[in-house]
Amino acid sequence: MLPTSPGDDAGRPAGLRIGRLDLAGRVDEALRVQAVAFGLSEEEVGIRRYIVQRHMTCPGARALGAFTDDGALAGFVYGMPNDRGHWWSTIVEPYLRAGGTEHWLDHSFVITELHVHPGFQGRGVGRALITRITDSAAEPRSILSAIDTDSPARGLYAALGYRDLARKVHFPSASLPYAVMGAPLPLLRGPAGGLKRTEPH
C-alpha cells in the first residue's frame, strides 16, 4: 500500500522498481498519484483521464512507473516525440518564438507528466523516472513545462540540465504561469548536475 503522507513510510528505502507502465490500463491509479502530488479535483481528474488515454495513442508515446514491492504505483512519467500540431505546442510556440527558442519544438522528446506520490518524494524517484525515459529517446533533446515558481521540481530539472526557454507561459486551463524548459540529451547525472553544458539556444 502507498503511504498517505510523507511521514507514514519514512523507514522505507527508495529502492522501488522502475519499469514499463501500461498507462492506459492503469490510468486511474496513475491519476490518483497525480491528484495527491499535484492537487487535482475530481473534475480535473476526469478531464485528465481522457487526455492521458488520447496521448497514449500518439506515435512514440511511452510511460514508466515506479513500483513498490507489492506492485503499487508510487510515481510515473510519460512523454512522446513532440508534435507541433499538439495542443501543448500550439500554446507554447508563440512564447518560444518571442525568445528565439522556437526550434526546440522540433526533434524533441516532450515530458508530458512526471509525478511522484508525496510518500516517496525526495528519494530520487523523479530523477530515476525522467532519466530512464529520456535515455530511450531517439531525439537529441527534451522539453517540458513546469509551474513557474521556485520549486523542488524546477530544481530537479535544472540539475538534470534543463534551462528556461520561456517564462510566464499561460495555459488556458491553468491559473498559474508556467516555464518551458529544455535540455540536451542525455540528461546530466550527479547531485550537482555532473558535466557542464552550455545554455540552450
Side-chain angles (χ1 to χ4, degrees):
M1 296 294 292
L2 291 174
T4 56
S5 70
D8 288 347
D9 202 36
R12 181 184 174 89
L16 301 170
R17 180 178 63 84
I18 306 295
R20 180 182 172 277
L21 171 64
D22 175 11
L23 186 54
R26 298 182 68 169
V27 62
D28 289 328
E29 187 180 1
L31 288 175
R32 283 195 297 273
V33 171
Q34 184 174 354
V36 175
F38 203 60
L40 299 180
S41 68
E42 284 299 318
E43 181 181 1
E44 289 172 316
V45 167
I47 293 170
R48 288 177 186 248
R49 181 182 294 107
Y50 166 77
I51 292 171
V52 168
Q53 290 173 328
R54 178 168 48 84
H55 279 164
M56 294 313 294
T57 67
C58 295
R62 55 191 181 276
L64 294 177
F67 304 94
T68 63
D69 289 340
D70 61 3
L73 192 64
F76 73 97
V77 63
Y78 83 92
M80 65 197 77
N82 193 54
D83 184 330
R84 282 183 180 249
H86 290 165
W87 176 84
W88 182 86
S89 283
T90 65
I91 298 298
V92 305
E93 186 271 337
Y95 295 92
L96 298 184
R97 187 172 64 245
T101 55
E102 177 189 357
H103 60 282
W104 274 80
L105 292 173
D106 300 317
H107 313 296
S108 289
F109 186 82
V110 60
I111 300 297
T112 308
E113 299 286 355
L114 171 61
H115 299 286
V116 178
H117 190 283
F120 294 91
Q121 290 177 8
R123 306 185 190 187
V125 179
R127 179 187 295 266
L129 286 167
I130 193 171
T131 54
R132 184 78 63 87
I133 199 168
T134 54
D135 278 352
S136 65
E139 294 74 24
R141 53 196 179 190
S142 173
I143 53 176
L144 55 79
S145 55
I147 294 176
D148 194 357
T149 187
D150 185 13
S151 66
R154 290 260 285 152
L156 169 62
Y157 300 144
L160 293 170
Y162 286 91
R163 297 293 179 261
D164 291 336
L165 303 176
R167 302 282 303 273
K168 301 187 185 309
V169 175
H170 292 275
F171 292 97
S173 58
S175 58
L176 296 174
Y178 277 68
V180 177
M181 306 178 76
L185 295 180
L187 296 178
L188 299 179
R189 298 320 204 255
L195 299 175
K196 292 182 179 179
R197 283 217 178 102
T198 57
E199 295 290 310
H201 54 75

